[in-house]
Amino acid sequence: MKPVQEEQRWVAQFVQWARHSPKYRALDLPETLLTDIMTHALKRYTKPAQALAAARRILHQVVAPYLGDPDYIQAAQALENAARQGEEAVRQVCWHLLQQHASTRERLPFLEAFYQRLFGVTGVPATILDLACGLNPLAWPWMGLPREIRYLAFDIHNPRVQLIRRFFELMGIHGQAFHRDILVEPPWDQAEVAFFFKEIHRFEERQPGCARSFLQAIPARWLLISLPTRSLSQKRDLLPIHRRLMNRILDGLGWNVQEVLFENEVVFCVDKG
């Protein structure tokens, strides 16, 4: 066992590295996230240098910079300009921004049908939790939801959170966006539906075995958990792997699960009852 003071020193070193790294400093990542990643790495590796290297790899997977991001200052300005022109202009800007991130770009060919099919399973919710939301809240114009619903979005990327807050204001949506590591601090607001799109496999990579207790902690009746069915290169079939992952996570919980399959994404609609 590493002495507490030594462990704290390595955690502080990792936090400072991430805070000043050209790759991450603009993201203003939550300190709870950075502390949690390094603390768990120190538990898994006997040598602190190995733990530090592992923590850096895990952070890269969690932040997923390879998926892409818009320029958030320009994006906010574009939304503000579009809002003065009307809803169709806002839709066009949102579509353009959704193209900037691989996770939402892959969904664009069936975007409207995606939400129609999911809400056909769950019904129209009064409150949505969008967990590790990415740019997904910008798909609001295609969700077919009334503006009075509560939409609570959570992400570790602060510039993204600020953009989503501005989007909610401009659209008159009853929404909030939180800069939070939901694995360390799960939401406490009750909801009918929680989105958890294309993230559960990254949670398991970050902290093996964490997903089961995390899902149990989410205060929503329906968990809509999606996973890609193809790799980013489109060369690898991921559906069997991700079905096994979900079966392992949900085994023995007694929740009802419906699978909704799209051309490159599968959604496990989990009814917690």
Side-chain angles (χ1 to χ4, degrees), residues 28-69:
D28 187 20
L29 298 169
E31 188 166 335
T32 51
L33 166 74
L34 302 173
T35 298
D36 184 69
I37 287 175
M38 188 60 194
T39 299
H40 279 87
L42 286 166
K43 291 176 181 176
R44 293 178 63 188
Y45 295 90
T46 56
K47 295 182 179 180
Q50 292 177 326
L52 184 61
R56 290 183 179 188
R57 289 195 302 271
I58 292 167
L59 183 62
H60 177 76
Q61 290 299 319
V62 170
V63 175
Y66 48 86
L67 295 179
D69 270 305

Side-chain angles (χ1 to χ4, degrees), residues 192-210:
E192 289 74 34
V193 168
F195 296 154
F196 195 36
F197 294 156
K198 298 183 182 178
E199 280 294 328
I200 200 166
H201 55 316
R202 274 197 279 273
F203 267 48
E204 285 289 289
E205 289 172 2
R206 168 181 168 182
Q207 196 178 122
C210 74

Side-chain angles (χ1 to χ4, degrees), residues 107-123:
R107 199 176 293 135
L108 289 178
F110 50 87
L111 188 60
E112 195 161 358
F114 182 79
Y115 294 101
Q116 286 177 349
R117 290 181 66 186
L118 297 186
F119 294 135
V121 174
T122 67

Side-chain angles (χ1 to χ4, degrees), residues 208-256:
C210 74
R212 184 182 178 92
S213 59
F214 170 73
L215 296 179
Q216 289 176 301
I218 299 302
R221 173 181 172 177
W222 285 96
L223 304 174
L224 303 184
I225 305 164
S226 88
L227 285 161
T229 60
R230 310 289 305 177
S231 62
L232 283 173
S233 67
Q234 301 298 309
K235 295 180 179 179
R236 188 179 179 199
D237 181 9
L238 300 177
L239 185 57
I241 296 170
H242 286 158
R243 278 177 171 155
R244 288 195 296 271
L245 172 66
M246 288 303 300
N247 287 337
R248 176 173 57 79
I249 292 169
L250 300 176
D251 183 48
L253 290 175
W255 296 340
N256 293 320

